Amino acid sequence: MIEQILDELSAKLNLRKNEIKIYKKSQVLVLGDEILMLKINGVKRIAVMGNGAAFCEFHGDSITPNLKLCPLTHLNRLVINKFLEYTVPKSFGRKQGTFGVGDRLGLATPGHIRIISNSNVKPILAQQSKRELDLTGRTFSKVLDDVTFSVFQEGYKDGFGADGDHLKHGTDISEAIESGYTMITLDCSEKIGFDLESKSSDELIELYKSLPSHLIKGCEEKYLNKPFKFNKSIVAFNKDELVRCVLIYYNAVLYIEHIYKEYILKASRFIDFEVSIDETSYPTTSFAHTFVAQELADLGVNITSLAPRFIGEFQKGIDYIGNLDEFEKQLEIHAAIANSYGYKLSIHSGSDKFSIFPIIGKYLGNKLHIKTSGTNWLEAVALIAEKNPDLYREIHKTALIHFNEAKAFYHVSADLSKVPDLSTVDDAHLLNYFSNDNSRQLIHITYGFILRDESLKIELYETLNSQEEFYFSRLEKHIGKHLSMVGLIA
Ligand SMILES: [Zn+2]
């Protein structure tokens, strides 16, 4: 069949057969129609051959009465979803570990599939935050279109998820669910009382007294004089700790309940619901975690995973900064709390946190969710540095111009004085920028500005497209290192 499609295309379009790249793993028979992904002159198309239902529904150009060439549009994505169940994202619930790979360019998914499919976690292939969508000019729908075509291209049939990441408002959550997303990560940071974190106990007691008396009474009966036992750890609230938790987290708990009941439960399918309380200035204490978990359980809110703010720094694109023993101690208790309430612990900003991965594996096994994102972009730009040095130099200059603006969106500690001047680095050594934490962060956070420059963007996509197999193998290696250090892959 592939031969026949190739023959007809080359005859009708006047192409040599080697100008057509066939993605053999995509080949599938749907009710008698042959469907497969190919690339002609650098542009991907879906070829459909036959005369059945799928052939009728795909939108494209008829090459012969029985052969259509179809562009990778949203409408054709929906047709693929309709006929090929494995291209539709799924939810995985509390027991199945998952690994999130944000892909800002829409090109990385085949590399992700090739490695994560060998692990004992499931991939969350679509994962973009509102901030990333705004900075890249993409939409929930577009991100899922790109992922769906890649899943089809790879013939990957073992299931993947789609995460509307770090969403704060109901409107965005609705949009993500309507676009087909199967996981929602609710960022409650706007409802957490950050301003209270630095207040003294006396100031907090005064505020606490003004809360409704039934709330105070209920919380004190529930939490005081009743130690919570989680595996080997005991969390025993005193009044000060309780006051702090109620004042800082109670509004967030109510907001989580609202989103759960209004959006998550009302969706027409099961949605993995992750709650993130990680965007705070202080690490989440065992008291705060217990309080949020217990309140949600009492309100009947079933979360799939929760992301606390861990001790130490989880900066973008570089290893963990902090004390490993302290991290281990805290992870052990957070893991015990999550385990006792039945949900998975989620690790955010998980890109490149190699020094803590073995500790994470030790306490969480594969009952976890990890999010990575920026590191996939860094792998793409590292490829550019290797294969298209002139383009890399332009990207680097643009990043330098916009670094200070980009810092408003991301917390990084990069020191530009430690980034060697471009004029001193010859082409053969441009890759060294990717083993320097300062230049990694420079390139990491400025992606929105780089992609806003239309000519840079076009050339970047052209280079990555022409080197796609090399990009996939880079990602396999790099994400594979993440998986193997956590112990998720042999
Ligand atoms: Zn987060």
Side-chain angles (χ1 to χ4, degrees):
M1 215 38 143
I2 289 184
E3 269 311 310
Q4 195 185 342
I5 291 175
L6 269 179
D7 286 343
E8 296 198 3
L9 284 177
S10 53
K12 294 283 177 186
L13 301 176
N14 245 333
L15 294 164
R16 285 192 305 275
K17 282 186 194 172
N18 63 9
E19 289 174 303
I20 306 173
K21 173 175 176 178
I22 300 269
Y23 296 88
K24 286 202 177 107
K25 286 186 275 182
S26 67
Q27 189 187 11
V28 64
L29 198 63
V30 176
L31 305 170
D33 294 334
E34 193 80 38
I35 309 178
L36 61 85
M37 179 80 87
L38 38 78
K39 194 192 245 179
I40 301 172
N41 293 328
V43 181
K44 283 183 186 169
R45 293 275 185 260
I46 295 165
V48 195
M49 185 175 238
N51 55 12
F55 182 80
C56 288
E57 291 208 28
F58 271 100
H59 307 261
D61 300 323
S62 296
I63 305 300
T64 72
N66 294 106
L67 177 61
K68 253 188 214 174
L69 216 44
C70 312
L72 307 193
T73 59
H74 177 65
L75 282 177
N76 282 331
R77 186 264 276 193
L78 297 179
V79 178
I80 287 197
N81 283 161
K82 178 176 168 183
F83 288 102
L84 300 170
E85 206 270 331
Y86 60 83
T87 65
V88 180
K90 290 171 183 50
S91 53
F92 293 104
R94 293 171 151 199
K95 299 227 158 58
Q96 171 65 58
T98 42
F99 194 95
V101 273
D103 170 19
R104 292 167 185 161
L105 298 168
L107 300 172
T109 299
H112 293 148
I113 288 173
R114 289 177 196 182
I115 188 70
I116 306 175
S117 61
N118 294 317
S119 76
N120 59 11
V121 286
K122 294 289 183 186
I124 305 299
L125 297 173
Q127 173 207 285
Q128 294 288 281
S129 64
K130 199 67 192 153
R131 177 172 61 191
E132 284 168 317
L133 293 177
D134 291 343
L135 288 171
T136 53
R138 298 166 86 209
T139 61
F140 287 118
S141 206
K142 172 77 175 102
V143 170
L144 197 48
D145 290 350
D146 291 337
V147 163
T148 304
F149 290 123
S150 293
V151 168
F152 168 67
Q153 176 184 309
E154 291 297 300
Y156 171 69
K157 301 191 173 68
D158 293 335
F160 68 97
D163 177 11
D165 189 16
H166 273 272
L167 304 184
K168 295 179 176 171
H169 307 117
T171 44
D172 296 333
I173 291 169
S174 287
E175 191 192 332
I177 292 176
E178 278 161 26
S179 304
Y181 282 61
T182 54
M183 170 172 176
I184 294 296
T185 299
L186 175 66
D187 176 341
C188 329
S189 50
E190 287 177 1
K191 305 290 174 184
I192 296 176
F194 296 120
D195 47 327
L196 303 175
E197 285 184 316
S198 55
K199 286 217 184 322
S200 72
S201 296
D202 290 346
E203 288 171 292
L204 292 178
I205 285 280
E206 281 310 307
L207 287 168
Y208 179 73
K209 282 184 193 155
S210 64
L211 295 174
S213 59
H214 66 271
L215 172 62
I216 293 181
K217 186 162 174 281
C219 285
E220 293 187 353
E221 280 175 5
K222 205 188 294 183
Y223 293 98
L224 294 182
N225 309 313
K226 278 182 200 160
F228 287 70
K229 201 164 179 303
F230 304 108
N231 206 357
K232 284 181 278 176
S233 315
I234 291 177
V235 177
F237 284 82
N238 61 30
K239 179 93 177 247
D240 275 358
E241 290 298 349
L242 178 61
V243 165
R244 206 163 269 281
C245 288
V246 175
L247 287 171
I248 296 176
Y249 289 97
Y250 193 67
N251 279 336
V253 165
L254 293 180
Y255 187 61
I256 297 165
E257 182 199 24
H258 161 72
I259 294 292
Y260 179 69
K261 294 192 170 157
E262 284 305 310
Y263 298 92
I264 306 298
L265 283 187
K266 287 185 180 169
S268 58
R269 57 188 192 279
F270 182 82
I271 301 287
D272 285 325
F273 185 38
E274 173 158 315
V275 163
S276 96
I277 52 173
D278 66 319
E279 307 259 321
T280 60
S281 16
Y282 294 90
T284 308
T285 62
S286 55
F287 299 103
H289 188 171
T290 305
F291 179 79
V292 171
Q294 184 62 45
E295 289 304 305
L296 292 178
D298 290 345
L299 290 166
V301 177
N302 267 307
I303 59 172
T304 309
S305 45
L306 180 136
R309 154 91 152 84
F310 292 103
I311 194 158
E313 292 200 40
F314 285 68
Q315 289 193 20
K316 299 295 172 185
I318 63 172
D319 204 343
Y320 176 75
I321 302 172
N323 181 310
L324 295 184
D325 292 334
E326 200 50 50
F327 174 78
E328 177 162 358
K329 262 190 238 157
Q330 297 214 0
L331 179 70
E332 182 174 17
I333 183 155
H334 283 303
I337 297 170
N339 201 34
S340 149
Y341 287 91
Y343 52 77
K344 296 179 280 194
L345 210 57
S346 178
I347 316 285
H348 287 195
S349 301
S351 291
D352 308 291
K353 301 298 176 289
F354 297 112
S355 64
I356 53 170
F357 284 156
I359 304 172
I360 289 171
K362 177 176 167 190
Y363 290 96
L364 304 182
N366 68 344
K367 203 185 169 202
L368 79 176
H369 180 58
I370 298 185
K371 289 185 200 257
T372 67
S373 181
T375 205
N376 301 301
W377 157 254
L378 283 175
E379 285 300 300
V381 186
L383 179 153
I384 305 275
E386 201 175 339
K387 300 289 182 185
N388 189 343
D390 291 344
L391 174 60
Y392 176 76
R393 288 178 190 278
E394 293 308 310
I395 289 175
H396 190 103
K397 285 181 209 156
T398 306
L400 284 173
I401 292 169
H402 294 286
F403 180 70
N404 281 326
E405 284 166 88
K407 275 207 296 193
F409 302 105
Y410 291 100
H411 168 61
V412 293
S413 60
D415 176 354
L416 294 190
S417 73
K418 294 182 178 145
V419 176
D421 193 273
L422 258 186
S423 61
T424 66
V425 181
D426 59 26
D427 286 356
H429 293 92
L430 288 176
L431 259 185
N432 291 350
Y433 281 121
F434 295 85
S435 43
N436 172 332
D437 284 352
N438 301 289
S439 39
R440 283 183 75 81
Q441 293 196 328
L442 163 70
I443 299 297
H444 186 296
I445 67 167
T446 47
Y447 65 92
F449 297 94
I450 293 163
L451 293 172
R452 204 173 291 166
D453 181 322
E454 210 43 45
S455 73
L456 281 187
K457 182 177 174 177
I458 290 170
E459 202 182 338
L460 182 142
Y461 270 88
E462 275 174 8
T463 303
L464 289 166
N465 252 321
S466 66
Q467 299 285 342
E468 61 178 2
E469 288 300 327
F470 186 53
Y471 185 38
F472 302 153
S473 67
R474 281 197 77 103
L475 290 167
E476 277 183 74
K477 193 164 161 233
H478 190 62
I479 295 300
K481 186 174 169 196
H482 286 65
L483 294 165
S484 85
M485 289 192 76
V486 185
L488 300 171
I489 198 168

